[in-house]
């Protein structure tokens, strides 16, 4: 559904490109996870998708159409993106905040319509933030705010959802609930593209893992292929051991104690 | 709105010269002692109307800029508007240009030039629509303008200096219906544009990336808001000089009343701003007869305690 | 006030027994309180005058050829224009003054000039600071300058002539009804003249009554509404001010504007006390009372 074809992104006056020839496919019905160390280009990919980073070469396509040809609102109606950072200068009631997700569907003067309300209610329920709906965003904790943002992205509708580090502030219960939500969204037919540091959870829930290293794709494939010490250690530059977690049967990573210098 | 209506009535009824309420009512209709009619119809009504429009414009401009710049301390004069307008006006005063509508034109031209320069400077610094770079560009332009003003005033005659300072402190005196009509049209146009962009501002206030994710062309949209807001502010400056604090305080007051979405926020800021400036103009006229206080000084005096109250509420 | 009377008496006393042939004695104190030396033994030959009134006076008492520096605003008489222009009068550039090698500097006695006065005195240049704000100040200034430049007799003559011309105007208009006058000094803000000002005095001499004569400040700021209320018979303004009034819609609320009674005065002539005060008063009297004066 979303396809990056040999994309090169270079920041102005930078000696090396941040993304150096990445080809990546995020089809419908799949959870595709992009992982990699800091600075490997993961967030830059999301930025390029949002047209906020200059694409030097290559193409980004949504259902085959080049990104540049798509109207921004039309794109937002089909692909919901939850960026890593957001400011919260003015407080809003949480329901209002989620309702902003309907912006791509609104006209300049048209107010909320019935199907907007339905979409908002559905999004709030899916993201599990119903108990927060009556509060104001300034009153939310970091984790609650993150879930509200995901609710907003769900309210956008569309066939794809892209999330950049969506579970950083979440506790175990909420994090698991989120990953289960991603899996469910994929089962329901959405394309889920996820950037995450949480290698173990990614290994459990993702269908495809793409490992980035200095802007290249170092490895891509099913978790069992990518989650190997021989693959991960050179990229993360840290001694690792891969085991199989007994409960679910997915590969699990254990970082070893650091080398003595 | 009721408050605004009450203030308008009060502002017409009171003034430098005490007039009986009945006389005022009659004078509005054009009847009674010609002196009183002249005072009410030719002097008070136009200036109250001007004050109303200036307040509405500043309120909306401030609210729009605070939302789109994601900064609670943004205000209408941010992008060098006050500095540029002041330079224009001071140059006009110093050159002795005294045609009736010319000084406002100079002020507006100065403001427009400053706005464009601020945006260009920000773009040259690579900031695209980054609010911080834009804010800094505005500050730089403001500082430069102040320096220019001081240079011009240094060699000027005392009356020129007094006249320039008076303009810079803001005043609704000398308002006439032609000016009111012009400002009304302009405010309606710019205000309407801002109301149309209100939803965009809602989204812009979330941040560049979040706004882009929701389908806003961030750079274009933000620039549109900055331009319309600043030009609206420039029009108010051309009409009444520098009236500070209104654009900064009024959006906070309206937000404090629980209004969040920018469409009602802009409308509320227009009403509240109008009320504030009408009240300030009234105070300016009755505080120390037969002299008038400068409008900008009164809005500052009135605005500071409000602002302090807001700060206390925030912390 | 008392010290001024005292210094005036001293001046008069010393003049009564002095004159050109007296030795260099004190001729009184200037308006900064510094003593003024009568110039007889050493008559100043290079005078810098930083005030239109004193420049005029120096030319009028015959010391014009000794003036080597003036301010930008000193343009009367024509001969004054040939003198070096040293910039605006307030906060004068001391270096520029010293470059003219003066042996006497005449300043306007305002707080802005104290610093310059001190620095010039430190450089060994005699300074006289004069405040010529009211009609009465004129005689005192004339006599002090006369004493300092050794032209006391001429100075007395000038002062007497001016006073006689003022008296003539006053006499011509004394019996006539006095119109109320609004004097328009500046437009934004509207500034007029109060009781404490020279123009108020001049207006009185010319047979008019200042509609704001109840305000004690010399240059009060007033609101248009109040002017409408006071309803002056006549408005006096400079050419630029009159144009602004006529072009302005709000000003039409004032009866005098609607009746076309906005009269133009020559601001260069009437702006301040000067050797042409008699002429200034007469020009105003002719506007207020056409036909009363030849």
């Amino acid at each position: 559904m979303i396809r990056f074809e040999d994309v090169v992104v270079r920041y102005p006056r930078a000696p090396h490109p941040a993304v150096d020839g990445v080809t990546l496919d995020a089809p419908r019905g799949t959870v595709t996870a992009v992982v990699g160390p800091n600075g490997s280009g993961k967030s830059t990919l999301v930025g390029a998708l949002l047209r906020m980073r200059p694409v030097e070469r290559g193409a980004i396509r949504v259902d085959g159409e080049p990104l540049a040809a798509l109207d921004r609102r039309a794109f937002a109606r089909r692909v919901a993106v939850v960026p890593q950072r957001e400011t919260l200068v003015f407080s809003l009631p949480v329901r209002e905040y989620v309702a902003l997700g309907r912006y791509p569907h609104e006209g300049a003067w048209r107010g909320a319509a019935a199907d907007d309300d339905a979409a908002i209610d559905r999004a709030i329920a899916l993201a599990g933030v119903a108990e927060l709906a009556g509060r104001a965003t300034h009153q939310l904790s970091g984790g609650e705010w993150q879930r509200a943002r995901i609710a907003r992205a769900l309210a956008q509708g569309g066939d794809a959802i892209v999330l950049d580090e969506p579970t950083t502030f979440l506790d175990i219960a909420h994090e698991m609930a989120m990953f289960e939500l991603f899996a469910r969204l994929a089962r329901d037919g959405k394309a889920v593209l996820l950037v995450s540091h949480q290698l173990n959870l990614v290994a459990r829930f993702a269908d495809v893992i793409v490992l980035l290293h200095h802007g290249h794709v170092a490895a891509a494939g099913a978790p069992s292929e990518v989650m190997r010490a021989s693959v991960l250690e050179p990229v993360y530059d840290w001694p690792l051991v891969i085991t199989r977690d007994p409960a679910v049967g997915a590969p699990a990573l254990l970082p070893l104690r650091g080398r003595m210098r | 709105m009721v408050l605004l209506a009450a203030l308008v009535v009060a502002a017409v009824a009171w003034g430098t010269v005490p007039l009986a309420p009945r006389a005022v009512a009659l004078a509005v209709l054009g009847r009674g002692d010609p002196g009183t009619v002249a005072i009410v119809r030719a002097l008070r009504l136009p200036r109250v109307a001007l004050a109303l429009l200036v307040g509405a414009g500043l309120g909306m401009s401030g609210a729009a800029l605070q939302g789109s710049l994601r900064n609670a301390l943004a205000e209408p004069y941010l992008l060098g508007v006050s500095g540029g307008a002041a330079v224009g006006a001071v140059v006009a005063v110093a050159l002795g240009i005294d045609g009736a509508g010319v000084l406002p034109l100079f002020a507006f031209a100065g403001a427009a030039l400053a706005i464009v320069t601020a945006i260009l400077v920000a773009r040259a610094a690579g900031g695209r629509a980054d609010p911080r770079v834009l804010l800094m560009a505005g500050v730089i332009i403001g500082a430069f303008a102040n320096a220019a003003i001081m240079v011009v005033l240094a060699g000027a005659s005392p009356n020129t200096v007094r006249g320039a300072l008076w303009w810079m402190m803001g005043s609704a005196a000398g308002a006439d219906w032609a000016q009111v009509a012009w400002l009304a049209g302009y405010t309606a146009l710019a205000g309407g544009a801002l109301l149309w962009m209100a939803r965009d501002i809602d989204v812009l206030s979330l941040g560049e990336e979040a706004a882009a994710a929701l389908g806003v062309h961030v750079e274009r949209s933000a620039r549109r808001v900055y331009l319309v807001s600043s030009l609206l502010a420039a029009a108010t400056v051309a009409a009444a000089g520098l009236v500070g604090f209104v654009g900064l305080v009024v959006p906070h007051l309206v937000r404090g009343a629980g209004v969040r979405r920018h469409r009602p926020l802009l409308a509320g800021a227009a009403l509240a701003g109008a009320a504030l400036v009408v009240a300030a103009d009234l105070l300016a006229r009755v505080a120390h007869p037969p002299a008038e206080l400068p409008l900008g000084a009164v809005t500052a005096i009135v605005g500071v305690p409000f602002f302090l109250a807001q700060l206390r509420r925030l912390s | 006030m008392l010290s001024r009377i005292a210094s005036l008496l001293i001046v008069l006393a010393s003049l009564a027994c002095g004159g050109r042939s007296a030795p260099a004695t004190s001729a009184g104190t200037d308006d900064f309180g510094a003593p003024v030396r009568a110039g007889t033994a050493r008559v100043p030959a290079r005078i810098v005058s930083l005030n239109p009134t004193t420049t005029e006076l120096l030319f009028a008492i015959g010391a014009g050829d000794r003036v080597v520096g003036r301010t930008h605003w000193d343009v009367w008489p024509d001969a004054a224009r040939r003198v070096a222009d040293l910039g605006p009068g307030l906060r004068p550039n001391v270096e520029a003054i010293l470059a003219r090698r003066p042996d006497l500097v005449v300043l306007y006695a305002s707080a802005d000039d104290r610093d310059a006065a001190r620095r010039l005195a430190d450089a060994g240049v005699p300074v006289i600071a004069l405040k010529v704000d009211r009609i009465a100040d004129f005689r005192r200034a004339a006599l002090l300058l006369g004493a300092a430049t050794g032209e006391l007799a001429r100075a007395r003559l000038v002062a007497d002539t001016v006073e006689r011309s003022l008296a003539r105007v006053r006499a011509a208009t004394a019996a006539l009804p006095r119109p109320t006058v609004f004097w328009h000094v500046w437009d934004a803000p509207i500034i007029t003249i109060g009781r404490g000002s020279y123009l108020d005095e001049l207006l009185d001499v010319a047979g008019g009554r200042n509609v704001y004569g109840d305000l004690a400040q010399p240059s009060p700021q007033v609101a248009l509404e109040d002017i409408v209320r006071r309803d002056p018979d006549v408005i006096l303004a400079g050419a630029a001010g009159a144009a602004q009034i006529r072009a302005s819609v709000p000003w039409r609320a004032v009866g005098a504007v609607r009746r076309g009674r906005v009269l133009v005065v020559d601001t260069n002539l009437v702006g301040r006390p000067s050797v042409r005060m008699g002429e200034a008063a007469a020009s105003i009297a002719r506007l207020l009372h056409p036909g009363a004066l030849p």
Side-chain angles (χ1 to χ4, degrees):
Chain A
M1 197 262 170
I2 301 176
R3 194 176 161 74
F4 291 80
E5 287 170 0
D6 204 26
V7 171
V8 175
V9 177
R10 187 196 297 267
Y11 288 108
R13 296 187 293 274
H16 306 291
V19 170
D20 199 0
V22 167
T23 299
L24 183 157
D25 208 0
R28 283 185 177 70
T30 325
V31 176
T32 310
V34 177
V35 303
N38 295 338
S40 53
K42 313 192 294 294
S43 290
T44 307
L45 272 181
V46 178
L49 188 62
L50 286 176
R51 290 180 246 207
M52 300 195 71
R53 303 280 174 256
V55 174
E56 200 179 74
R57 267 206 323 273
I60 305 176
R61 292 182 194 280
V62 176
D63 274 341
E65 287 174 65
L67 186 63
L70 268 180
D71 170 56
R72 277 159 209 258
R73 272 193 198 230
F75 172 79
R77 284 196 289 270
R78 291 158 72 171
V79 179
V81 179
V82 184
Q84 199 173 26
R85 275 184 294 260
E86 195 170 307
T87 51
L88 201 56
V89 181
F90 301 115
S91 182
L92 277 177
V94 171
R95 193 164 201 285
E96 275 292 330
Y97 189 69
V98 174
L100 283 170
R102 298 304 294 168
Y103 172 83
H105 300 270
E106 291 172 3
W109 294 106
R110 193 171 66 88
D115 52 336
D116 285 329
D117 282 329
I120 296 169
D121 290 327
R122 223 177 15 247
I124 290 180
L126 261 181
V129 293
E131 77 271 13
L132 303 175
R135 302 204 338 235
T137 46
H138 265 151
Q139 299 167 317
L140 301 179
S141 71
E144 289 169 337
W145 182 39
Q146 209 161 22
R147 284 154 54 210
R149 290 171 61 210
I150 293 174
R152 190 181 70 208
L154 291 173
Q156 268 177 266
D159 295 324
I161 180 164
V162 179
L163 308 111
D164 193 345
E165 305 287 354
T167 59
T168 1
F169 299 120
L170 300 185
D171 58 44
I172 296 179
H174 287 117
E175 199 172 24
M176 285 298 296
M178 273 302 133
F179 270 91
E180 287 186 343
L181 172 62
F182 302 150
R184 175 176 160 188
L185 289 172
R187 272 198 312 274
D188 289 344
K190 269 209 216 285
V192 178
L193 179 58
L194 187 59
V195 170
S196 180
H197 272 130
Q198 276 288 27
L199 284 172
N200 286 337
L201 284 179
V202 160
R204 270 168 77 167
F205 287 95
D207 301 304
V208 174
I209 300 182
V210 177
L211 175 66
L212 288 189
H213 185 39
H214 290 319
H216 319 282
V217 175
S224 51
E225 290 161 27
V226 177
M227 294 286 286
R228 293 187 189 166
S230 54
V231 176
L232 295 175
E233 264 187 10
V235 172
Y236 282 98
D237 194 27
W238 200 264
L240 307 165
V241 146
I242 306 296
T243 71
R244 198 138 204 95
D245 88 67
V248 182
L253 175 149
L254 282 174
L256 296 177
R257 187 171 287 167
R259 286 172 283 241
M260 306 295 189
R261 286 189 196 269
Chain B
M1 257 195 117
V2 173
L3 179 64
L4 177 61
L7 278 170
V8 169
V9 170
V12 175
W14 280 319
T16 309
V17 172
L19 295 173
R22 207 178 126 72
V24 172
L26 284 173
V28 171
L29 299 168
R31 295 205 292 265
D33 161 52
T36 307
V37 171
I39 290 180
V40 170
R41 285 182 120 189
L43 297 182
R44 283 192 196 168
L45 279 175
R47 79 183 274 170
V48 170
L50 195 80
L52 198 152
L53 290 168
V54 167
L58 287 174
M60 281 197 282
S61 173
L65 281 173
Q66 283 179 5
S68 59
L69 287 168
R70 300 184 277 283
N71 189 326
L73 292 180
E75 44 96 28
Y77 300 146
L78 209 50
L79 297 185
V81 170
S82 57
V87 170
V90 168
V91 164
V93 171
L95 290 178
I97 293 173
D98 42 32
V102 179
L103 196 147
L105 277 174
F106 266 74
F108 188 82
L113 201 66
I115 295 167
V116 168
T117 309
I119 292 186
L120 288 177
V121 166
R123 201 192 282 179
R128 296 184 318 147
D130 185 347
R132 288 165 307 175
V133 180
L134 210 54
L135 286 169
M136 276 197 283
V139 168
I140 292 169
I141 301 230
F144 186 76
N146 280 335
I149 292 168
M150 283 194 262
V151 166
V152 171
L153 290 182
S157 76
N159 273 339
T160 302
V161 175
R162 196 168 171 179
L165 276 176
W166 174 256
W167 182 88
M168 286 194 277
M169 295 192 282
S171 169
D176 61 59
W177 288 114
Q179 232 182 354
V180 170
W182 167 85
L183 189 61
Y186 198 101
T187 306
L189 216 70
L194 284 177
L195 282 169
W196 177 66
M197 295 190 267
R199 207 65 184 122
D200 284 9
I201 301 177
D202 281 333
V203 173
L204 281 172
S205 70
L206 297 173
E208 272 192 19
E209 288 172 332
L214 285 170
V216 171
H217 191 315
V218 174
E219 197 180 332
R220 218 190 289 157
S221 206
R223 203 171 37 231
R224 258 201 312 249
V225 175
Y226 303 155
L227 266 173
V228 176
S229 306
S230 299
L231 288 174
L232 182 54
T236 67
V237 172
L242 299 175
V243 181
F245 261 102
V246 176
L248 176 59
V249 169
V250 161
H252 287 274
L253 288 177
V254 180
R255 262 190 231 108
V259 181
R260 302 282 179 225
R261 301 184 94 199
H262 278 84
R263 194 151 288 151
L265 184 65
L266 286 170
L271 287 174
L276 182 58
V277 178
V278 167
D281 179 65
L282 174 60
L283 212 65
R285 283 182 284 131
V286 301
H288 196 271
E292 277 184 39
L293 297 178
L295 191 57
V298 178
T299 56
I301 292 171
V302 167
V304 167
F306 270 124
F307 202 56
L308 286 174
Q310 282 292 121
L311 280 176
R312 281 187 66 219
R313 194 196 299 192
L314 278 177
S315 59
Chain C
M1 190 62 211
L2 214 51
S3 63
R4 279 176 131 210
I5 297 176
S7 51
L8 198 55
L9 287 174
I10 295 172
V11 171
L12 290 177
S14 63
L15 291 176
C17 45
R20 282 197 85 120
S21 50
T25 53
S26 170
T29 52
D30 72 0
D31 290 315
F32 276 166
V36 175
R37 276 199 298 281
T40 44
R42 297 177 295 103
V43 170
R46 297 181 64 80
I47 310 174
V48 165
S49 164
L50 294 175
N51 182 342
T53 306
T54 52
T55 306
E56 278 185 5
L57 262 173
L58 287 168
F59 274 86
I61 63 177
D65 51 349
R66 290 184 260 162
V67 177
V68 298
R70 62 168 172 99
T71 78
H72 190 60
W73 315 108
D74 309 352
V75 294
W76 194 89
D78 277 337
R81 290 173 190 265
R82 290 196 287 274
V83 174
D85 174 352
L86 298 178
L90 291 177
R91 291 184 181 272
N93 183 332
V94 175
E95 276 181 27
I97 298 172
L98 290 173
R100 303 299 295 149
R101 294 173 290 114
D103 45 21
L104 174 63
V105 174
V106 184
L107 289 171
Y108 181 67
S110 85
D112 280 329
D113 289 338
R114 272 194 192 273
D115 186 58
R118 193 180 40 80
R119 297 211 279 146
L120 287 166
D122 287 346
V125 179
V127 175
I128 300 180
L130 292 172
K131 213 181 215 351
V132 197
D133 292 338
R134 312 283 299 250
I135 292 182
D137 295 338
F138 181 77
R139 186 179 188 84
R140 169 180 152 74
L143 295 182
L144 273 175
L145 278 181
T149 57
E151 300 287 356
L152 194 47
R154 295 275 298 263
R156 255 188 256 152
L157 196 62
V158 169
D160 288 342
T161 311
V162 170
E163 272 167 25
R164 271 201 301 273
S165 63
L166 283 171
R168 263 203 303 276
V169 176
R170 199 191 288 278
T173 59
L176 299 170
R178 295 180 157 256
T180 51
V181 177
F182 174 77
W183 197 301
H184 178 270
V185 175
W186 196 256
D187 203 62
I190 302 177
I191 300 179
T192 184
I193 54 173
R195 201 167 56 229
S197 75
Y198 161 68
L199 289 176
D200 182 69
E201 293 182 316
L202 202 65
L203 193 55
D204 185 64
V205 168
R209 190 148 51 86
N210 181 3
V211 78
Y212 276 102
D214 55 317
L215 296 183
Q217 319 127 271
S219 303
Q221 182 234 89
V222 294
L224 194 50
E225 261 184 41
D226 198 59
I227 301 172
V228 172
R229 178 52 140 3
R230 293 187 186 221
D231 200 24
D233 297 318
V234 172
I235 296 179
L236 292 178
Q244 277 168 324
I245 294 173
R246 291 193 193 115
S248 149
V249 173
W251 270 98
R252 282 178 219 154
V254 179
V257 177
R258 286 197 305 272
R259 291 190 299 270
R261 297 285 288 157
V262 178
L263 306 175
V264 177
V265 295
D266 179 354
T267 42
N268 284 322
L269 174 61
V270 307
R272 52 188 167 68
S274 74
V275 297
R276 296 178 289 160
M277 273 195 293
E279 207 184 310
S283 76
I284 298 172
R286 280 191 204 100
L287 286 172
L288 299 179
H289 303 282
L293 275 132

